[in-house]
Amino acid sequence: MAKTVTCAFCGAPLTKGFIRGTAKGLSIADGIVVHCCESCLESEKALAKVLRPRFTAKLENCKWENGVKFTEAQIMQMYRNYAKECASYLEEGFTPGEKAQFYSFDNNGRFGWMERTIGRSADGASHKNTTYTRREQDCDAFGFTKDDISCIEFRLSRGERSGLFKKNYSVEICLNHEDIVSFRPCYSITAVQGSGVIFGYRHSARKHAEELLSQFKNHIGSELPVREVRNFR
């Protein structure tokens, strides 16, 4: 017997079944597929494909930071709000002028960066992100300003040896806490290198991370302090 569902976008009644079902599936985040009608599928699939990687990262971070699981209806509402916010930023027509290590910026204090899924502990899952060492990262959203951020926090992973007297550290950066999923910049990742003989690797890496974030502050004109934290929640 066919099951009745509704389109997540227009609310039209649909049937779900192997043979005569009218419901289509659209992936809005990794592991999240919503029901939609054929018309909405055609109109929404291109945007969903563009938004999915960044929305996935933000949804995962939000679930972790709040310690909750969201229903499909809640996730769909977050997606709608997220898509509207995205459109408002895209209307600015901002193209980044220069690339820094973990962000892009222009001469008017606007910036862009890549939203990342962060590790669950500074000494745990984030350790794998040392592969981002020092290379410039692509940005997936642009047009933010100092008014879009509420903090500049970072934490270091455990170091991974990268040569004689050198260790790589991933640096997870927080500009807003992901209380709700929004388009504003929240979490990203870069890496720094610490040097020493026997000790001092972490101190050296911390200094480099602070220098990177101080440079970021100057580029966007922010007065917020740079703070190292143990955890983001």
Side-chain angles (χ1 to χ4, degrees):
M1 183 175 179
K3 179 181 179 182
T4 301
V5 295
T6 58
C7 176
F9 293 94
C10 71
L14 306 167
T15 56
K16 184 181 178 183
F18 288 110
I19 300 176
R20 297 183 180 180
T22 59
K24 308 298 181 181
L26 179 64
S27 175
I28 60 172
D30 291 353
I32 306 294
V33 177
V34 298
H35 298 116
C36 61
C37 64
E38 189 164 355
S39 177
C40 287
L41 176 65
E42 289 303 311
S43 64
E44 297 289 341
K45 64 182 180 181
L47 179 61
K49 184 177 180 179
V50 172
L51 297 184
R52 185 167 61 240
R54 193 170 190 273
F55 183 70
T56 296
K58 296 184 78 61
L59 182 61
E60 287 301 310
N61 289 336
C62 187
K63 288 193 293 186
W64 168 74
E65 186 157 0
N66 292 283
V68 297
K69 291 184 178 180
F70 299 111
T71 65
E72 182 177 306
Q74 289 174 318
I75 293 172
M76 191 61 214
Q77 186 58 53
M78 291 178 188
Y79 178 81
R80 290 194 194 97
N81 295 338
Y82 180 83
K84 288 179 182 178
E85 285 187 78
C86 174
S88 69
Y89 279 97
L90 292 178
E91 286 175 1
E92 297 292 326
F94 168 58
T95 301
E98 297 184 53
K99 275 192 174 183
Q101 183 167 322
F102 65 90
Y103 61 98
S104 296
F105 65 98
D106 67 9
N107 293 326
N108 298 312
R110 297 183 297 182
F111 72 95
W113 80 344
M114 175 73 76
E115 201 76 23
R116 303 282 190 182
T117 304
I118 60 168
R120 296 305 174 242
S121 68
D123 289 335
S126 66
H127 180 58
K128 68 180 182 296
N129 291 311
T130 55
T131 56
Y132 290 113
T133 306
R134 289 187 175 277
R135 67 179 175 85
E136 291 181 346
Q137 294 180 14
D138 293 331
C139 293
D140 61 3
F142 312 99
F144 304 119
T145 71
K146 64 180 181 180
D147 297 327
D148 291 309
I149 71 174
S150 60
C151 62
I152 305 176
E153 299 176 347
F154 75 94
R155 67 182 187 182
L156 298 176
S157 71
R158 289 179 295 181
E160 182 179 65
R161 288 199 176 274
S162 61
L164 189 63
F165 308 133
K166 293 179 181 179
K167 286 186 178 181
N168 290 338
Y169 294 79
S170 70
V171 183
E172 294 180 332
I173 303 163
C174 175
L175 301 185
N176 285 296
H177 288 275
E178 198 84 75
D179 301 319
I180 59 172
V181 172
S182 71
F183 195 73
R184 63 184 182 171
C186 290
Y187 293 105
S188 196
I189 302 167
T190 187
V192 294
Q193 193 171 78
S195 57
V197 180
I198 299 177
F199 302 107
Y201 298 102
R202 193 174 187 84
H203 175 77
S204 173
R206 181 181 297 112
K207 181 179 179 181
H208 290 156
E210 290 171 344
E211 289 172 351
L212 280 177
L213 291 169
S214 293
Q215 183 183 57
F216 169 72
K217 274 184 54 173
N218 292 335
H219 281 150
I220 70 171
S222 174
E223 297 298 327
L224 292 170
V226 175
R227 297 177 56 243
E228 182 183 13
V229 298
R230 175 63 181 170
N231 210 335
F232 290 131
R233 70 173 188 181

